[in-house]
Amino acid sequence: MTTLIEPAAMPLAHNRLQSVADALNGVLADSFALYLKTKNFHWHVSGPHFRDYHLLLDAQATQILAITDLVAERVRKLGGTTLRSIGDIARRQTIIDNDAERVTAADMLAELREDNLKLVAALRDLKDLADAARDNATSGLVDGWTDEAEQRAWFLLEASRGA
């Protein structure tokens, strides 16, 4: 008969999984920050390419928001506690808010591109932690999230060439 091993019986594995859960919460905080910044720019973009940028940013915001529940549920599956408030997000986010009254479309695209690349770097670090913890499920999920963030950065780069 197989019995489950309590986390206390495997402190090294438990510590590694806790590190994965902590990193997931960081990615979750940055995802919410990036979502809100992308929506902010979606709402405030203007200029000759308004329609294209407005639609692009809306689609990207939707994609970012879609992963938040998956990230949070993964934290819980690892036995962790996920984010509880806007304040919790603010304490953990590394993506900087933009509260400027006026931002040019070109600056919006460039800033969002850099933010998506910052998220890619965090996801790669998360992947390393998950692999070290032998957390195949998180590692596999991170691959898709990384690809999506890289694609967003690429689209923003290509769209900005004419900005």
Side-chain angles (χ1 to χ4, degrees):
M1 180 171 169
T2 305
T3 60
L4 295 176
I5 298 173
E6 291 296 318
M10 296 182 59
L12 182 59
H14 178 70
N15 289 341
R16 285 185 178 167
L17 289 177
Q18 184 59 50
S19 294
V20 172
D22 289 343
L24 281 162
N25 271 324
V27 165
L28 183 57
D30 278 341
S31 295
F32 277 121
L34 182 57
Y35 165 76
L36 192 56
K37 183 187 279 190
T38 303
K39 284 304 271 193
N40 171 32
F41 288 169
H42 159 78
W43 295 322
H44 295 101
V45 71
S46 62
H49 301 288
F50 165 77
R51 185 178 191 285
D52 292 334
Y53 296 162
H54 185 75
L55 295 173
L56 172 67
L57 297 179
D58 194 40
Q60 289 196 352
T62 299
Q63 184 184 64
I64 294 163
L65 185 61
I67 74 159
T68 59
D69 195 51
L70 299 171
V71 175
E73 287 177 355
R74 191 70 204 143
V75 171
R76 297 291 293 140
K77 288 176 188 175
L78 294 176
T81 301
T82 194
L83 304 178
R84 296 184 183 272
S85 66
I86 298 296
D88 202 3
I89 291 168
R91 286 185 293 276
R92 294 174 190 252
Q93 76 185 72
T94 62
I95 291 178
I96 306 300
D97 297 331
N98 185 325
D99 296 322
E101 180 119 356
R102 184 101 173 107
V103 182
T104 67
D107 288 344
M108 288 178 181
L109 298 179
E111 189 170 331
L112 289 174
R113 179 176 183 271
E114 290 306 313
D115 290 340
N116 275 282
L117 292 174
K118 189 172 192 174
L119 184 60
V120 167
L123 288 165
R124 288 181 177 151
D125 290 344
L126 171 57
K127 172 93 173 165
D128 290 343
L129 288 171
D131 288 345
R134 299 189 57 174
D135 179 2
N136 296 353
T138 299
S139 182
L141 289 168
V142 169
D143 291 338
W145 301 335
T146 303
D147 184 55
E148 289 177 0
E150 288 173 340
Q151 184 178 39
R152 288 191 303 270
W154 171 49
F155 276 40
L156 291 162
L157 172 67
E158 294 301 330
S160 70
R161 291 189 193 273

